[in-house]
Amino acid sequence: MTEPPEPQRDLRRRDYATLSESDLSASAPGEDLLPNRPYPSNLIWRMTKALDPERAPGRILDLGPTTNANIQFWAEQGFDVTCHDLFAHESRRVDGAEISPLTLANDTIRKLRLPFDGESFTAVCAWNILAKLPFVLAQQYACECHRVLAPSGLLHAIFLDVDGRPDTRRQFHMEDRQTLHVNSVAVPRPLPSSWIDAEIRLLLSRFGACEIQGGPVHTREALAQREPIGIPA
């Protein structure tokens, strides 16, 4: 007796890269919901194909915390690598006074800058960094990523996709030109919320183009591009 065929998946109606609430409630106790494993990343593949180390400025900015594997990967591709642990720099601000639109109006956040000249990087990697900051703070640094990117430069960002997941010290490292490896260590404090596409698009609204895709490890990835020369921001 033949088994009935599985129903066809309609990707327009459901995001199969992300578990549903029923999937979460059915998880077995002790199951590792944030596995440590490699996974294929279409947006990383597209970014690595698009980048040319011979085209100035030929520099990659890693907003950290980075790994030796990432530095080695980009260096072998012919890029200079600069590391700046953004969350470490902002941890005191995040753990201190509440950040709100009022503080933004007082120009407290608008004065924040990445310590680099404008148009000085070919690409920026922000992996589980912007997602861990309050929105108004993340938005300011997204604008700063736009500022430090050369025309047509690329920003690749990763966001946690599932609400209520354990907060984690998550690190991503490049295994090859199309594969990321995620390492997650759970900590008690939960993330305040998941990220949806509309929030990510708003965060990256300064960029000329932005594509968002769901990942197989409860993440959403975004690839944004600064406008080419001659096209106003």
Side-chain angles (χ1 to χ4, degrees):
M1 181 177 179
T2 59
E3 296 182 357
E6 294 184 1
Q8 185 175 2
R9 293 184 171 186
D10 187 348
L11 300 180
R12 297 168 298 176
R13 297 179 178 272
R14 179 179 169 189
D15 176 7
Y16 285 90
T18 301
L19 293 178
S20 66
E21 291 299 325
S22 60
D23 294 330
L24 296 180
S25 61
S27 300
E31 181 182 351
D32 185 2
L33 299 177
L34 291 171
N36 297 337
R37 63 179 179 86
Y39 70 95
S41 169
N42 181 49
L43 295 186
I44 278 290
W45 167 241
R46 289 171 57 181
M47 182 172 80
T48 55
K49 282 185 64 178
L51 297 180
D52 181 2
E54 299 299 323
R55 183 177 179 179
R59 300 174 64 196
I60 304 293
L61 174 60
D62 188 333
L63 292 181
T66 192
T67 66
N68 289 334
N70 291 339
I71 297 173
Q72 181 178 353
F73 173 84
W74 293 117
E76 289 176 351
Q77 304 301 310
F79 293 96
D80 292 331
V81 185
T82 300
C83 302
H84 178 75
D85 194 336
L86 179 59
F87 189 76
H89 281 78
E90 290 298 325
S91 60
R92 182 177 301 178
R93 189 187 312 274
V94 172
D95 293 336
E98 180 181 357
I99 297 175
S100 68
L102 180 60
T103 60
L104 181 63
N106 290 334
D107 288 334
T108 303
I109 292 178
R110 291 181 183 178
K111 294 178 181 178
L112 296 176
R113 293 289 184 268
L114 290 172
F116 308 107
D117 294 335
E119 301 186 5
S120 56
F121 293 97
T122 304
V124 177
C125 296
W127 296 343
N128 199 35
I129 300 301
L130 298 176
K132 296 175 69 175
L133 300 174
F135 186 87
V136 291
L137 187 56
Q139 191 171 43
Q140 172 62 19
Y141 279 116
C143 291
E144 278 295 285
C145 290
H146 182 278
R147 180 183 65 83
V148 302
L149 278 171
S152 300
L154 297 173
L155 166 69
H156 184 267
I158 301 178
F159 302 83
L160 194 65
D161 191 20
V162 181
D163 198 7
R165 282 282 188 251
D167 191 9
T168 57
R169 290 184 293 272
R170 303 192 79 185
Q171 282 192 317
F172 296 82
H173 68 257
M174 304 283 297
E175 289 216 339
D176 53 47
R177 293 185 65 187
Q178 58 185 345
T179 308
L180 286 173
H181 192 117
V182 58
N183 292 303
S184 305
V185 180
V187 295
R189 181 171 58 85
L191 284 172
S193 65
S194 60
W195 286 76
I196 60 175
D197 287 7
E199 293 171 318
I200 297 173
R201 291 192 187 281
L202 179 60
L203 184 74
L204 303 178
S205 59
R206 187 169 180 81
F207 287 81
C210 178
E211 182 169 349
I212 302 168
Q213 293 186 5
V217 288
H218 314 300
T219 56
R220 300 203 76 73
E221 295 185 24
L223 184 62
Q225 185 174 39
R226 180 172 173 169
E227 301 78 6
I229 296 176
I231 298 180

